[in-house]
Structures are given as structure tokens and as C-alpha cells.
Amino acid sequence: MKELYSAEDIATTVQRLGAEISADYPAGNVLLIGVLKGSFIFIADLIRAIAVPTVVDFVSLASYGSDTASSGIVEFRKDLDMSITDRDVVIIEDIIDSGRTLETLCHLLQQRRPRSLKVCTLLDKHARREVPIAADYVGFSIDNGFVVGYGLDMDERYRNLGTICLLPQS
Ligand code: IMP
Ligand code: MG
């Protein structure tokens, strides 16, 4: 495995994203929606880098089986606990690949009439996009390849790595 981003690179980027979000919502009351499971470590660090009051909730969707290529099928596994109507919402994703997961989630959440809806992703594989969707806050832009660590998995493995690594092509 090749290390792409060190723990220090990640910490610096998470601080930058936290500062950007804090600056955009000076009044606070932001509702962060973590997309499980991949974003759990990212959101844990990110909320501590945001200086304004935030609230956290989680959803779980699945677009991947045990494969490393998108199936194109998005499944709702866990819904939000809270209402997002008239709230400022920021979706927190680990990585955007085809964009299908996020497109489905944004569509579902827009129907509940949030005041605003933005997206923050740690990693963006923009060249692999199959649907036109963009994040408002991007940590790192990467090329093709499958990455693991810092919450991201391959078949549930490697989430515990403190760095972000590129898996060798199989
Ligand atoms: P999309 O619907 O194709 O954009 O897929 C997004 C989801 O697939 C992400 O939230 C991840 O859970 C997973 N995923 C996509 N690429 C990678 C990767 O390189 N490593 C780990 N998970 C990935
Ligand atoms: Mg995910």
C-alpha cells in the first residue's frame, strides 16, 4: 500500500474545512449529517475543528457490495433521527466516486425542505463522476484508484489506519 496522505496532512486539511464551514455559518446551528460508515472518523475530527455550534446526525446508505466498483444501486439502511426542515444542513461524506450515493441522498433530503443543503467530502474522485454533482467543501482531490484508511474501508478492513493509502491494483 502506498501512503497518499499522512496523519499530519489529514489534520491540516480537516482544520481548513472546519474553518471554511465556521466562516460560512457564523450564526451556527448547522446540522451535520455523517454518511455511515466511512465518514465516522472524519466527522469526529471535523466537528472539533468547527468553531460554531453544530448538531450531528447520521444516515446509512449503501452503493457498494464487497466489490470495489460501484453497483449503481443505492440502498437506504438507516434514516435520520432528526427533522431537517428549515435547517442549514451539511452532508459529511468520506469520498465521492460516481456521485450516485450523494445524488440519491441529496434528492431524499431536499424533499424534506432544509433551509440550505451543502456537501463536505474528505476525498473527491472527480474524474469518475457519472452524475453531475459537486461538493461545496473538498478535502483532497484524487485520481483513479481505491483508497483506504481514516474510516475508509475495503470489505470493512483498514478503517483504523491513521493515514490514507492507495491499494495496489488487483
Ligand atoms: P459513489 O456512489 O460511487 O459516489 O460511491 C460513494 C461511496 O463508495 C463512498 O461513500 C464510499 O463509501 C465508497 N467508495 C468509493 N470509492 C472508494 C474508495 O476509493 N475507497 C473506499 N470507499 C470508496
Ligand atoms: Mg460512504
Side-chain angles (χ1 to χ4, degrees):
M1 274 199 277
K2 181 178 167 251
E3 183 180 303
L4 280 186
Y5 302 109
S6 67
E8 198 187 347
D9 295 334
I10 298 168
T12 303
T13 292
V14 171
Q15 288 302 317
R16 170 178 61 79
L17 293 173
E20 286 176 19
I21 294 171
S22 305
D24 286 354
Y25 302 92
N29 272 316
V30 194
L31 172 50
L32 306 179
I33 299 182
V35 184
L36 294 172
K37 299 182 221 173
S39 71
F40 79 110
I41 294 177
F42 176 39
I43 196 169
D45 285 341
L46 184 65
I47 52 169
R48 287 177 284 180
I50 297 175
V52 299
T54 59
V55 169
V56 176
D57 203 349
F58 293 96
V59 289
S60 176
L61 295 153
S63 64
Y64 275 65
S66 54
D67 204 351
T68 53
S70 179
S71 61
I73 297 161
V74 178
E75 193 180 281
F76 215 159
R77 281 199 191 136
K78 183 218 171 285
D79 200 344
L80 291 168
D81 294 333
M82 294 174 196
S83 166
I84 62 165
T85 306
D86 293 328
R87 303 215 50 165
D88 291 313
V89 175
V90 183
I91 297 171
I92 312 297
E93 259 288 21
D94 52 354
I95 187 164
I96 308 176
D97 186 16
S98 72
R100 293 190 185 279
T101 310
L102 193 58
E103 186 189 46
T104 304
L105 182 59
C106 285
H107 181 75
L108 286 166
L109 296 186
Q110 285 291 9
Q111 291 173 343
R112 300 179 188 181
R113 308 253 167 252
R115 184 188 300 136
S116 64
L117 182 62
K118 287 194 185 183
V119 175
C120 173
T121 189
L122 180 63
L123 294 145
D124 187 5
K125 288 192 205 170
H126 47 89
R128 297 209 4 123
R129 208 70 95 247
E130 292 168 16
V131 291
I133 197 150
D136 301 279
Y137 308 97
V138 176
F140 304 105
S141 287
I142 59 169
D143 297 324
N144 293 347
F146 203 81
V147 293
V148 294
Y150 196 69
L152 289 104
D153 72 307
M154 201 271 301
D155 275 349
E156 299 299 327
R157 294 176 64 202
Y158 309 116
R159 292 195 198 274
N160 59 320
L161 296 178
T163 59
I164 295 173
C165 297
L166 186 64
L167 280 186
Q169 304 268 66
S170 51

